[in-house]
Amino acid sequence: VEICPNNRMVCPIDNGFVNPCANIFNIDPNTNDIDIGVEELISFDGLNDCQRAIRAEKYQFAQSGHYLRALCAGCMDPVCDQQQKLQYCVHELTSIPSCTIPIANDDDTTTDGNTPL
């Protein structure tokens, strides 16, 4: 766990933002989201313990809202540099038609201000 200048505890991002699900092609045509179980989601190489814990904790929320692609890409990871994460997530996910990008803010809401994460 890392501490940001605002004293918020976050996950360290040692190797930059990495999307381990970029090449997953099991897409549910009804949700336009990836089809992945929690065990597979947390088993990717390159994830640290904090990132694995966040993905496991938020899996049910992401599954019910069809946000698994965003969860796997790290868009729900608490990090210090929210602006860098936003740019990364927009780049990674906006090429996907009708893909929603929930990104945690410092107040634990998504960028739309409505849905708590």
Side-chain angles (χ1 to χ4, degrees):
V1 176
E2 184 178 306
I3 305 293
C4 293
N6 64 359
N7 293 324
R8 183 166 189 240
M9 292 175 44
V10 297
C11 290
I13 304 298
D14 303 324
N15 301 320
F17 292 99
V18 178
N19 183 356
C21 293
N23 295 319
I24 291 182
F25 300 105
N26 298 334
I27 306 296
D28 181 329
N30 296 318
T31 65
N32 197 35
D33 199 9
I34 59 175
D35 182 16
I36 189 169
V38 68
E39 290 302 317
E40 184 179 0
L41 186 69
I42 64 174
S43 68
F44 289 107
D45 290 336
L47 296 178
N48 59 45
D49 290 342
C50 181
Q51 290 170 308
R52 291 180 202 285
I54 291 296
R55 283 160 177 73
E57 175 186 320
K58 298 197 181 293
Y59 181 82
Q60 291 292 63
F61 166 79
Q63 184 182 40
S64 67
H66 313 299
Y67 301 138
L68 289 173
R69 187 188 313 253
L71 178 64
C72 189
C75 297
M76 295 184 189
D77 291 356
V79 297
C80 288
D81 192 341
Q82 292 291 318
Q83 187 61 35
Q84 181 185 7
K85 181 172 71 171
L86 176 61
Q87 290 172 352
Y88 159 79
C89 290
V90 167
H91 177 266
E92 283 291 307
L93 302 174
T94 55
S95 63
I96 303 159
S98 70
C99 184
T100 305
I101 307 172
I103 300 172
N105 292 315
D106 284 339
D107 60 358
D108 291 329
T109 61
T110 59
T111 53
D112 64 11
N114 294 325
T115 309
L117 295 178

